[in-house]
Amino acid sequence: MFYTDNKLQFPVRVEKPDPRFARALQQAIGGVEGEIRVAMQYLFQAWGARGDPKFRQLLLNTGAEEIGHIEMLATAVALNLEGAPLSLQEEVSGDPVGGAVLNGINLKNMLSSGLSAMPVDSDGVPFDMSHIYASGNIAADMTANVMAESTGRVLAVRLYNMTDDPGMKEMLQFLIARDTMHQNQWMAALEELGGPTEVFPIPNSHPQEEENRDFSYAFLGFQQDGSEPPQGRWSKGESIDGNGSFSSRPMEPQGEEPNLGRAKPKSGAQAEQE
């Protein structure tokens, strides 16, 4: 069950409405780096979580928090859209419709939602849930969550640097701080699961002795000029999971040129393929 007390998680105020910034904020709602993405990701991970229930609770609480972030951003979008033209008869940069587009206003916010936020990105593309990662493997999910919060924090910092509005800067610094915490809590969860030497490779339930060990820790180079593959921490020394040693070598073909044979009759292929 989810509850609300009808209050915002953090104050949202706009001193000078900016419809263009409202459009930018839509990316933080419905973009691939946005709050809908992480809210749904954490909730679906929680709803499918197995094992120690504390990880399910961790995910549920954070998913609930992210719903509150969507509410904050939706409020910010609506407040910023107060500066948008309500009539196409109003003059905006000379030409009403074209001017609105040139000034960065998403007409969808005007025509479809009455100057309110929508579950779309900054281009008006609806969020389609294709970037929700809930694998059923707690370590894989926590690793994916670190990435989600990292790209979300990158976006929040970019939005912060796009506005001079004190209220928006204050709100974004709160969201940036929460992204900091969330990155750290997912990494802390991975540490509690045992850290790199216990968690990786994911899934750690598959016996490594059954995989092709010749390729488990070899960095493969694919340069056609015969030059050495790029060298770094990934090419020498102990592997991060502690189960092997990194090496580096050019990749040589292991298989033959594929031959799928002739096309079957009545398969819709050309006669020359049969």
Side-chain angles (χ1 to χ4, degrees), residues 27 36 66 87-88 101 108 170 233-234 239-240 246:
Q27 190 69 16
I36 294 178
E66 301 294 4
S87 169
L88 294 183
V101 175
K108 213 168 191 177
E170 183 180 51
R233 175 65 182 88
W234 56 86
S239 62
I240 300 302
F246 287 132

Side-chain angles (χ1 to χ4, degrees), residues 41-42 45 59 140-150 186:
Q41 180 159 307
Y42 302 157
Q45 287 177 2
L59 288 161
D141 286 348
M142 293 299 169
T143 304
N145 294 348
V146 174
M147 185 280 292
E149 291 291 342
S150 300
W186 303 135

Side-chain angles (χ1 to χ4, degrees), residues 67 99 163 166 175 177 196 211 214:
I67 293 174
T163 182
L175 294 175
E211 65 186 67
D214 290 341

